[in-house]
Amino acid sequence: METSTRAIVSLSVQLCNFHFQRSSRKHGSCGLRRLVPRNGILTAVNKPRPKPALTMALAKSGDCQVTELQAGERLFLGMDFGTSGARYALIDKDGTIHSEGKREYPRYMSGETIDWVRSWRKTLFSLLEDVPVHLRPLVASISIDGTSATTLIVNSNTGEPLWRPFLYNESCPDALPIVKSIAPENHTVCSGSSTLCKLVSWWNIENSSKDSALLLHQADWLLWLLHGNLGVSDYNNALKVGYDPELESYPPWLLSHPYSQLLPSVVAPGTSVGYVKEDIRNQLGFSKDCAVCTGTTDSIAAFIAARATEPGKAVTSLGSTLAIKLLSTSRIEDARYGVYSHRLDDKWLVGGASNTGGAILRQLFTDQQLDQLSEKINPMEQSPLDYYPLKSVGERFPVADPNLAPRLHPRPECDIEFLHGILESIARIEAKAYNLLKHLGATQVEEVFTAGGGAKNEKWTKIRQRVLGLPVRQATQTEAAFGAALLALKGAQQSIN
């Protein structure tokens, strides 16, 4: 294993906290429940872990190179549920990819809106079926990342949604004054798109089903479909609902309100919480001891995949949106700018997510046009066009403004100049974000790794390097699914240790 890979895995392993608190839903009160680890799995039942079978397999070529596995070697599956589609990566303990694939979300409709719940469920099992049949018995653990602040309110007994999902970029301005009145000033939840605002908004709208309701994040719900233990989250996803990862608990100012009864239990990312359910194992051929581990958000999974292990190293994820994460020795929280910090061992991932990014590019250009036009751009020449490229109204970071309108005018007749202006404008937003983090007290950024589809655009990389005034390079691994697979590896290592 590469030194950098060992560093990330070691860092991830240290994040585990095997004990967690759970809000009791009886009579609307908040109580505590201790789940004891049994053979590395958080469970109330003493369930022995079967010994892994000694197996020899050969990975097929196609998604990856042909790689021989040693007898008894296990594999680790990570899945990334992004804004426009999902991916999986299957790795061994050294980080070698043995299989990978992707799926676009099927567009199931419910009236005039997309049925995201059905779409995500279908995509999850499609990805599992895409894992080569002969490799499935070797999978030791699974983890999933999802889009930050994508929120589901589900039935606490059945897990079925009681309301349509609140998507990652959806704002609930009706709940913002209420949240601001109870939370500390400039707290992460003091943003209309925070998970807590979505919870409060639902609480004030819905007149029934509150006693049997539970809040889950996208990754939590997808993982529940696999392990069946309802009500578990990780402290990266739970940050925007108000969970304090430094104190490892929900704060008193949150627990004093009745909607806190919906909050899930919280553990560290990559913590084993159960095994793949029997019916899924029987249908798809996964082993009895295949563990399911808590996940994280898509941008943190991308950071983990990029192996940026030193303070001052940062990752910009250029997917449908633009998300940045800077490894800092200081924790920074300021909702005025959409800035928040995720815990990573004794350091902090400081950053935020902008609504600008690849989604607006795909709205304006085909992939072929993007490739052809980009080739004709001179990245060393500054574009005079000043845009704020958004697909729709609303921005989260580095400006938290739900009413910010897209700015894509004037549009020149030349598409090359138009694309140049958009790419450079997104780079300026990125630069503004890193400068803001420095101003707020985060560690000075020294180098930027790039993940996501935008990392493949060499002209854009050169534009960003000029605008940022920093070394910018593509991460060794650019897929969040790889980071999720590292979390699955972490969970398996906990079981062994």
Side-chain angles (χ1 to χ4, degrees):
M1 183 185 292
E2 298 176 7
T3 302
S4 56
T5 304
R6 291 183 183 277
I8 277 292
V9 173
S10 175
L11 194 63
S12 299
V13 169
Q14 296 177 49
L15 288 176
C16 179
N17 172 24
F18 274 112
H19 302 293
F20 65 94
Q21 298 181 348
R22 183 171 187 176
S23 299
S24 173
R25 297 178 181 83
K26 293 183 179 179
H27 312 296
S29 63
C30 296
L32 299 179
R33 180 187 178 198
R34 182 179 296 274
L35 294 186
V36 180
R38 302 297 189 190
N39 300 309
I41 305 294
L42 284 174
T43 179
V45 180
N46 186 10
K47 186 175 182 180
R49 183 181 180 88
K51 294 182 180 180
L54 294 179
T55 310
M56 176 82 72
L58 190 67
K60 292 182 179 179
S61 59
D63 287 332
C64 56
Q65 62 184 11
V66 176
T67 308
E68 186 173 346
L69 295 171
Q70 300 299 317
E73 188 170 357
R74 305 302 297 273
L75 299 174
F76 312 94
L77 178 61
M79 287 182 278
D80 161 50
F81 277 71
T83 56
S84 58
R87 295 175 179 267
Y88 83 85
L90 187 62
I91 68 172
D92 62 24
K93 66 181 186 302
D94 296 321
T96 301
I97 297 177
H98 290 259
S99 180
E100 56 187 343
K102 62 182 179 180
R103 288 269 183 165
E104 293 186 357
Y105 296 136
R107 292 303 178 99
Y108 298 119
M109 302 302 294
S110 177
E112 296 182 356
T113 61
I114 298 175
D115 186 345
W116 287 112
V117 168
R118 183 182 176 192
S119 177
W120 294 333
R121 192 198 307 256
K122 174 63 176 178
T123 303
L124 170 65
F125 288 99
S126 293
L127 286 179
L128 291 174
E129 291 171 354
D130 290 343
V131 175
V133 174
H134 65 287
L135 295 181
R136 294 178 199 170
L138 303 181
V139 177
S141 52
I142 302 171
S143 186
I144 298 174
D145 72 74
T147 48
S148 177
T150 293
T151 308
L152 292 90
I153 307 295
V154 304
N155 184 291
S156 58
N157 297 312
T158 67
E160 290 303 311
L162 299 173
W163 197 263
R164 64 165 183 80
F166 292 91
L167 299 183
Y168 67 98
N169 59 349
E170 186 172 345
S171 184
C172 297
D174 59 299
L176 187 55
I178 300 173
V179 171
K180 284 185 173 181
S181 71
I182 65 171
E185 186 177 7
N186 298 327
H187 192 280
T188 303
V189 298
C190 297
S191 168
S193 61
S194 74
T195 311
L196 184 56
C197 278
K198 292 165 183 173
L199 170 59
V200 172
S201 180
W202 176 85
W203 184 267
N204 290 335
I205 294 172
E206 179 61 25
N207 295 320
S208 62
S209 305
K210 292 180 179 178
D211 291 338
S212 60
L214 170 68
L215 181 146
L216 292 177
H217 307 90
Q218 181 189 33
D220 308 335
W221 185 77
L222 289 166
L223 288 163
W224 164 74
L225 291 175
L226 299 183
H227 59 62
N229 297 323
L230 195 60
V232 183
S233 186
D234 66 272
Y235 59 53
N236 291 153
N237 271 300
L239 183 74
K240 292 184 181 180
V241 79
Y243 186 83
D244 190 330
E246 193 168 12
L247 299 178
E248 299 183 350
S249 65
Y250 289 109
W253 61 259
L254 177 57
L255 292 177
S256 62
H257 295 277
Y259 39 77
S260 66
Q261 69 187 30
L262 275 68
L263 299 176
S265 305
V266 179
V267 295
T271 300
S272 299
V273 294
Y275 297 101
V276 173
K277 293 191 297 184
E278 184 178 3
D279 59 334
I280 299 175
R281 296 198 313 263
N282 292 340
Q283 179 181 354
L284 298 178
F286 289 92
S287 64
K288 284 187 176 181
D289 65 339
C290 182
V292 183
C293 307
T294 49
T296 185
T297 67
D298 52 352
S299 59
I300 292 182
F303 187 95
I304 294 173
R307 301 159 172 157
T309 60
E310 299 296 327
K313 305 294 184 182
V315 172
T316 294
S317 181
L318 292 173
S320 297
T321 59
L322 181 149
I324 73 170
K325 290 286 183 291
L326 168 66
L327 194 59
S328 172
T329 57
S330 302
R331 180 183 184 183
I332 308 297
E333 306 278 346
D334 200 323
R336 293 175 300 171
Y337 307 106
V339 174
Y340 53 93
S341 295
H342 282 284
R343 178 181 164 187
L344 189 60
D345 192 27
D346 60 342
K347 299 180 181 63
W348 297 92
L349 289 181
V350 183
S354 168
N355 288 338
T356 192
I360 184 62
L361 292 173
R362 285 185 174 274
Q363 182 174 287
L364 296 169
F365 304 100
T366 66
D367 288 345
Q368 184 178 8
Q369 287 174 325
L370 286 172
D371 291 339
Q372 293 175 347
L373 294 174
S374 294
E375 283 299 316
K376 299 175 182 178
I377 292 175
N378 180 358
M380 305 315 295
E381 180 179 315
Q382 182 176 339
S383 171
L385 298 171
D386 183 20
Y387 298 145
Y388 207 107
L390 296 171
K391 190 175 180 180
S392 58
V393 173
E395 175 61 305
R396 298 176 288 164
F397 169 76
V399 177
D401 183 358
N403 299 314
L404 185 66
R407 189 172 72 246
L408 288 165
H409 295 284
R411 175 168 182 164
E413 294 182 4
C414 177
D415 283 344
I416 300 171
E417 294 177 12
F418 186 45
L419 177 59
H420 188 177
I422 294 174
L423 296 180
E424 184 142 336
S425 294
I426 295 176
R428 290 173 190 149
I429 295 170
E430 181 184 1
K432 182 177 181 179
Y434 282 118
N435 288 333
L436 174 64
L437 297 184
K438 177 185 176 182
H439 174 74
L440 294 176
T443 300
Q444 170 71 47
V445 60
E446 298 176 354
E447 184 177 18
V448 176
F449 298 86
T450 310
K456 301 172 184 177
N457 190 318
E458 295 181 2
K459 295 296 181 73
W460 198 4
T461 298
K462 291 179 180 178
I463 290 172
R464 293 171 52 234
Q465 186 160 287
R466 170 173 54 80
V467 173
L468 293 173
L470 294 167
V472 177
R473 62 187 179 92
Q474 185 171 346
T476 304
Q477 288 291 340
T478 63
E479 298 298 343
F482 184 85
L486 288 177
L487 285 180
L489 171 59
K490 168 197 164 187
Q493 288 182 328
Q494 289 172 355
S495 300
I496 295 173
N497 295 333

